[in-house]
Each structure stands twice: as structure tokens, then as C-alpha cells.
Amino acid sequence: MSHIGLGISTMPFIKNHFNKIVKTIENIPEGLELDCWEIIEEGFHYLNPKRIKILKDAASTSKISFTVHAPFASINLASPEPLQSVLLDFMDRAVERAYALEAEIFVTHPGLLSPFTIHFPEIAWKSFIASIKHIVDFAEKLGSPKIVVENMAPPYPFLVSNHHEVERLFQELGNSDLGLCLDTGHAQRSGGLKPFLKNVGPYIKHVHAHDNRGDRDAHLQIGKGVLDWKFLIRSLEKLNFKGYVVVENNDLGDSYNSIHYLKSLTSP
């Protein structure tokens, strides 16, 4: 039987100080009943031992879990050597911080083509595969968190955007413990949500949920765009999905409303 947990990303706080995240976690509106918060470790919100303790203390009374979105600014997992080793050391430290937070999931973006590798896409792909293998192996040695790769969307030249690229990734990795973070808005911009659920459903271990109207990656409140949310929830239930659906909206009020919308679909 599936168990769909609901959570909120710290995306609305990207311009705010870390303390605002903490205050929000400590003062969740009555009746919202969140299962997790996803910390975007970027900008003002890099983790350290002090912040990790503060977050764990803030969540202790409500027993909320954490997931972590890996740093992504200037990070390209498809970079070949000699830069690759430097980036992987940086990502190892990020995984260690997620482990210290007791995060269950660590979301990373896939690599993308650079001004050099756009001429040699197979070099980028091989570097990306090697990077993902390294990060998954590193997390497995620690014991957690589970590593998931997020599907991206045009116009950016990411290596994993449509469902065919997702299939290629998992086929080449074989029995890897890697999972897919299905980003609903990105999927809608990359051929539609239904082909992802039909073709790569079993790989989905985490979900980023936001809406759009098909024209851009708008991160709209759920129900304000064209995505078929009933189909998503029913599909996840059929897949016996036991992970988190984390809403990614630009506004905290939109995030709260998105949670209420999803609760109306997941209630018995």
C-alpha cells in the first residue's frame, strides 16, 4: 500500500535569511500537518553543524522529517576532469551535511552541456554517469540519504530532461540505488507528465510538485495550471509510491494552498 507524504520546499525563502526558515518550521499553521521540509542548500542557506542542530530542534516537536536539495549554482556534474574531482569533493561534503541532518533524500540536478561539451555530448554524458555513481556510492557507505536525480526542462541544456533520457540513465546504471525525483512542472515542459509516469514510473522515489500552463517553468500553485493532479496521485498509488511529494512554489502562501489541494486528493 502506498504512503504519500507531503512536504514543502524552502524555495519561497531563497532571498531570505536562514532564520526565517526556522521560524516558519516552528510555526506551521494549525491543520497543515506536514511530513517534511526540503532544505535547498544554496545561497544563504548552506548547512553547518550549528544550523543542522537548530533545524533538528525546530522540527523535533512536530516530528517532521527533512530532505535536502543539493547546491546547484555553478555545479555541473557533467564536467570532465580536472574539474570533476573538485566538484565531487564539494558534493561529498554536501551529502555528509545531509546525513548529519538525518535527511532521507538528497536531490541533485543532472549535468548539462557546457560551451565545450556541447560539441562533445558523449564526453559530458560519461562524466555525468561517473559523477552520479560516485555520489550514490558515497551515500551508500554513509548509510543515507538516498540519492535522487531530478528531471529538468528546456531551454537549458541538461542531460536528463525527457523520459527517454531518464530511461537511458537508469539502464546504464543497472542495479544502482539511484532514484528519480519526478519534477512535475519540468515533466510538463518536456513532453508531458503522463509519458514519465507510464515509462519511468518505477524509478520515482521523490516528487517535486508545482504547476504551469505549458509555456514556462512558472512554479505555480497546484491547481492553477494545466497538470492533471488526480492522474498523478492515482498513478503514484498504483506504483505503490512510499515517498514524499514536496511542493515547490515561489510563495509560501501558495505552498500552503498546494498542500491543502493535495490533501484533498490523497484523503481516503
Side-chain angles (χ1 to χ4, degrees):
M1 184 176 181
S2 67
H3 173 73
I4 299 174
L6 299 178
I8 292 178
S9 163
T10 58
M11 179 179 283
F13 305 102
I14 199 71
K15 297 179 181 179
N16 301 123
H17 191 274
F18 177 79
N19 289 342
K20 189 164 185 179
I21 294 176
V22 177
K23 289 180 181 178
T24 303
I25 292 174
E26 291 175 332
N27 296 282
I28 298 170
E30 187 175 349
L32 201 63
E33 298 177 357
L34 292 178
D35 297 296
C36 82
W37 278 91
E38 182 157 299
I39 307 298
I40 299 179
E41 199 188 9
E42 187 58 77
F44 302 126
H45 306 149
Y46 274 96
L47 298 174
N48 57 41
K50 181 179 179 180
R51 286 181 167 184
I52 288 169
K53 184 179 186 306
I54 290 171
L55 284 171
K56 291 169 79 170
D57 288 346
S60 61
T61 55
S62 55
K63 297 182 180 179
I64 284 178
S65 299
F66 287 108
T67 62
V68 169
H69 193 307
F72 52 83
S74 302
I75 303 297
N76 183 3
L77 295 184
S79 296
E81 292 290 9
L83 184 57
Q84 184 181 41
S85 296
V86 177
L87 290 173
L88 288 178
D89 182 69
F90 178 83
M91 292 294 282
D92 286 350
R93 305 292 79 77
V95 172
E96 287 177 337
R97 293 189 294 272
Y99 173 78
L101 184 62
E102 300 180 23
E104 297 178 29
I105 295 287
F106 183 85
V107 184
T108 182
H109 286 177
L112 70 164
L113 298 176
S114 70
F116 168 68
T117 57
I118 196 168
H119 303 291
F120 306 99
E122 282 307 308
I123 290 178
W125 183 263
K126 289 179 181 178
S127 297
F128 169 54
I129 292 293
S131 294
I132 285 296
K133 285 182 177 179
H134 172 96
I135 296 169
V136 170
D137 289 346
F138 186 83
E140 284 184 336
K141 290 175 183 176
L142 289 176
S144 67
K146 184 174 183 65
I147 308 299
V148 295
V149 168
E150 178 179 353
N151 59 292
M152 302 304 288
Y156 306 104
F158 282 98
L159 298 179
V160 178
S161 292
N162 60 56
H163 72 86
H164 298 292
E165 292 159 346
V166 173
E167 288 180 276
R168 181 186 178 189
L169 170 63
F170 283 91
Q171 287 170 0
E172 292 194 16
L173 287 174
N175 294 323
S176 170
D177 194 45
L178 181 72
L180 172 66
C181 170
L182 173 66
D183 187 294
T184 60
H186 295 169
Q188 184 64 28
R189 295 272 292 126
S190 304
L193 185 60
K194 292 184 179 181
F196 276 81
L197 290 163
K198 177 182 177 181
N199 294 287
V200 297
Y203 301 127
I204 300 170
K205 304 301 177 185
H206 192 63
V207 176
H208 282 170
H210 51 99
D211 219 328
N212 63 55
R213 298 186 178 95
D215 56 341
R216 62 189 182 91
D217 187 24
H219 285 263
L220 297 178
Q221 176 183 316
I222 290 175
K224 297 295 185 180
V226 299
L227 275 75
D228 187 341
W229 294 99
K230 289 183 180 179
F231 177 80
L232 171 68
I233 297 301
R234 298 290 89 80
S235 296
L236 292 177
E237 290 173 342
K238 289 179 181 179
L239 290 166
N240 198 28
F241 177 78
K242 292 184 173 68
Y244 295 115
V245 174
V246 172
V247 298
E248 273 195 336
N249 298 128
N250 295 313
D251 177 80
L252 184 60
D254 286 350
S255 297
Y256 290 160
N257 289 334
S258 291
I259 290 292
H260 287 303
Y261 188 101
L262 289 174
K263 280 184 177 293
S264 71
L265 299 180
T266 58
S267 299

